């Protein structure tokens, strides 16, 4: 009898461990398989982020509910009047495409909890506002029609859901444990976890092929939230099973889990070098704003210039990364005129110079970038690109490259750049003869054909 009981106990334990293990497992793939899955994205290099929600109405950025410590009732007025009458997603898609962007990620729900899609699991959604239509659907169709790959941002935080427990990033965030306990009485995170799953299932089922899912974000620790709060592993497993090719960011708090993320997502800062995890270079994408805020901020004046933005793009590629550049449309449904100007200028440059961006990456170490330049490299065509950030006066010296170079031209007009070998001391240097006036392109690029 005793042995029988023991056996049953052992079997149950084994079964339990087994089921936990199978739950924890994400699809396995080799490094080469992962690189292949991400290839379209690493080739694309340039995408558009769109932060759009009710916060476009206060026009004081997407954290306004938190910053001004508004409760649901105080925030309700924005829901009641949300009606972007000028929204034309085809126009947006055309602007993104003309700027040279190859993919797009829209906030399907931001921290405020408002859903831009027709979810069955909430009433707090766009179809119940005066606008009345499923914005996510219109967005997906329009961008897809322009040939861009389509993705969703989905906020793990939710400042509206009744079961989401108040934490230190919540608009009702507290300072004492007792206050937290009082406010969180009756809130049930397990229901919220189900809610996330249900919504992500909707997003990844009802809108055709979705190429990227951008979960945002985890903040583990006291009064914070991490992978257990979101049930990240199972959420990700579901996402991958619904959309096997989908590319996923690294904000589910699964950094230590194999297959728990596809790329790292440095936000609003320039990487000093290609980011590494455990000593290995990893795919990366920096997300950046035009002016500092993600959601529309009427009174913000810290806008970057087109040249600065192009430099951001080139610099990312020069370190093997992508740029996801954010637009915060207004509550009428249009891009701020300043965003339009910059997108146009970037498009002008991309039209003639995109060969130094698409399919390019960090140059091999034997090529040294001359002062005030950034190098990119296309490993397939074996061409090197020298971006002249500050246009030199008449000549440029390439150190120690004489034996490697066959031909040089400006990229924007394919005009030959003559060169001659260095002097006795530096025979392997090359002196390039550049025209005195800067060519009519924001950042001139030299295309170097290698031997
Ligand atoms: C941050 C912010 C958020 C923004 C995101 C973009 O996590 O909370 O407002 O959406 O970064 O990367």
């Amino acid at each position: 009898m005793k042995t029988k009981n023991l056996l049953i106990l052992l079997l149950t334990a084994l079964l339990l461990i087994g089921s936990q293990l199978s739950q924890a497992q994400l699809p396995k793939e080799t490094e080469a398989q992962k690189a292949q899955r991400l290839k379209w994205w690493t080739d694309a290099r340039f995408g558009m982020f769109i932060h759009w929600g009710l916060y476009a109405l206060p026009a004081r950025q997407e954290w306004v509910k938190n910053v001004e410590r508004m409760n649901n009732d105080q925030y309700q007025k924005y829901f009641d009047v949300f009606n972007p009458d000028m929204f034309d997603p085809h126009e947006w898609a055309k602007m993104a495409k003309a700027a040279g962007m190859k993919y797009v990620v829209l906030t399907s729900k931001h921290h405020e909890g408002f859903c831009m899609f027709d979810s069955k699991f909430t009433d707090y959604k766009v179809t119940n506002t005066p606008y009345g239509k499923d914005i996510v659907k219109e967005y997906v169709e329009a961008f897809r029609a322009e040939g861009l790959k389509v993705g969703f941002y989905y906020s793990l935080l939710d400042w509206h859901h009744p079961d989401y427990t108040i934490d230190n990033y919540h608009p009702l965030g507290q300072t004492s444990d007792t206050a937290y306990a009082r406010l969180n009485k009756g809130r049930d995170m397990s229901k919220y976890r189900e809610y996330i799953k249900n919504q992500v299932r909707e997003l990844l089922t009802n809108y055709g092929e979705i190429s990227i899912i951008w979960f945002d974000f985890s903040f583990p620790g006291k009064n914070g939230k991490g992978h257990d709060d979101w049930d990240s592993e199972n959420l990700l497993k579901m996402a991958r099973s619904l959309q096997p090719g989908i590319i996923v960011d690294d904000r589910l708090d699964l950094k230590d889990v194999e297959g728990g993320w596809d790329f790292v997502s440095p936000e609003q800062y320039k990487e000093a070098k290609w980011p590494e995890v455990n000593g290995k270079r990893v795919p990366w994408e920096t997300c950046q704003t035009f002016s500092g805020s993600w959601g529309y901020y009427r009174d913000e004046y810290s806008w970057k210039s087109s040249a600065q933005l192009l430099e951001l793009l080139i610099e990312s590629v020069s370190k093997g990364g992508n740029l996801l550049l954010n637009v915060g449309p207004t509550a009428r449904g249009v891009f701020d005129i300043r965003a339009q100007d910059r997108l146009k200028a970037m498009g002008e440059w991309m039209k003639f110079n995109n060969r130094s961006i698409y399919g390019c990456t960090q140059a091999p170490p034997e090529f040294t970038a001359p002062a005030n330049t950034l190098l990119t490299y296309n490993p397939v065509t074996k061409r090197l690109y020298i971006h002249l950030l500050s246009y030199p006066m008449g000549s440029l010296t390439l150190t120690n490259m004489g034996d490697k170079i066959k031909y040089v031209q400006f990229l924007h007009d394919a005009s030959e750049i003559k060169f001659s070998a260095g002097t006795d001391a530096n025979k392997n240097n090359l002196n390039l003869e550049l025209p005195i006036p800067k060519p009519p392109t924001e950042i001139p690029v030299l295309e170097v054909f290698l031997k």
Side-chain angles (χ1 to χ4, degrees), residues 253-274:
D253 188 27
L254 292 178
K255 268 283 171 52
D256 300 329
V257 175
E258 196 188 334
W261 53 278
D262 286 325
F263 65 90
V264 297
S265 57
E267 180 177 322
Q268 304 266 43
Y269 75 86
K270 283 190 184 183
E271 286 290 345
K273 64 180 187 62
W274 192 325

Side-chain angles (χ1 to χ4, degrees), residues 158-172:
D158 195 312
W159 299 333
H160 181 269
H161 196 283
D163 282 307
Y164 183 90
T165 51
I166 313 293
D167 52 41
N168 58 15
Y169 279 129
H170 196 281
L172 308 179

Side-chain angles (χ1 to χ4, degrees), residues 94-297:
K94 285 200 176 80
M95 282 190 267
K97 187 177 180 179
M101 294 157 159
K102 296 277 194 187
Y103 62 98
V104 58
V105 179
L106 169 79
T107 48
S108 57
K109 176 189 95 165
H110 203 265
H111 309 336
E112 63 179 1
F114 175 69
C115 296
M116 299 289 268
F117 60 107
D118 191 12
S119 171
K120 281 207 191 79
F121 299 93
T122 184
D123 292 331
Y124 199 54
K125 57 181 175 182
V126 64
T127 41
N128 289 340
T129 65
Y131 183 69
K133 286 179 278 176
D134 183 334
I135 282 181
V136 161
K137 182 166 183 282
E138 298 186 281
Y139 147 83
V140 165
E141 286 167 1
F143 278 82
R144 209 175 266 150
E146 288 299 325
L148 278 89
K149 295 265 196 185
V150 171
F152 296 138
Y153 168 108
Y154 184 85
S155 173
L156 299 165
L157 288 75
D158 195 312
W159 299 333
H160 181 269
H161 196 283
D163 282 307
Y164 183 90
T165 51
I166 313 293
D167 52 41
N168 58 15
Y169 279 129
H170 196 281
L172 308 179
Q174 299 296 315
T175 46
S176 79
D177 289 353
T178 39
Y180 271 116
R182 184 171 40 82
L183 276 177
N184 284 329
K185 207 162 163 246
R187 289 180 182 250
D188 181 355
M189 270 300 280
S190 71
K191 285 198 190 138
Y192 179 68
R193 273 191 287 281
E194 266 323 289
Y195 178 73
I196 304 184
K197 273 196 203 106
N198 286 331
Q199 290 210 318
V200 171
R201 189 179 305 109
E202 290 183 307
L203 286 168
L204 300 186
T205 308
N206 298 343
Y207 301 95
E209 187 187 325
I210 299 305
S211 305
I212 298 168
I213 181 110
W214 230 96
F215 293 110
D216 195 37
F217 63 87
S218 299
F219 46 110
K222 190 168 152 63
N223 298 319
K225 287 189 172 72
H227 56 89
D228 286 338
D229 300 284
W230 321 124
D231 191 17
S232 293
E233 290 206 21
N234 288 316
L235 181 61
L236 182 56
K237 253 174 91 172
M238 185 188 77
R240 294 220 192 269
S241 75
L242 293 171
Q243 299 273 346
I246 202 158
I247 299 181
V248 186
D249 71 338
D250 63 340
R251 298 188 179 186
L252 280 169
D253 188 27
L254 292 178
K255 268 283 171 52
D256 300 329
V257 175
E258 196 188 334
W261 53 278
D262 286 325
F263 65 90
V264 297
S265 57
E267 180 177 322
Q268 304 266 43
Y269 75 86
K270 283 190 184 183
E271 286 290 345
K273 64 180 187 62
W274 192 325
E276 293 179 359
V277 171
N278 299 328
K280 267 199 187 142
R281 287 176 174 176
V282 290
W284 67 280
E285 171 191 78
T286 180
C287 49
Q288 300 271 349
T289 58
F290 285 107
S291 62
S293 292
W294 301 92
Y296 180 56
Y297 198 152

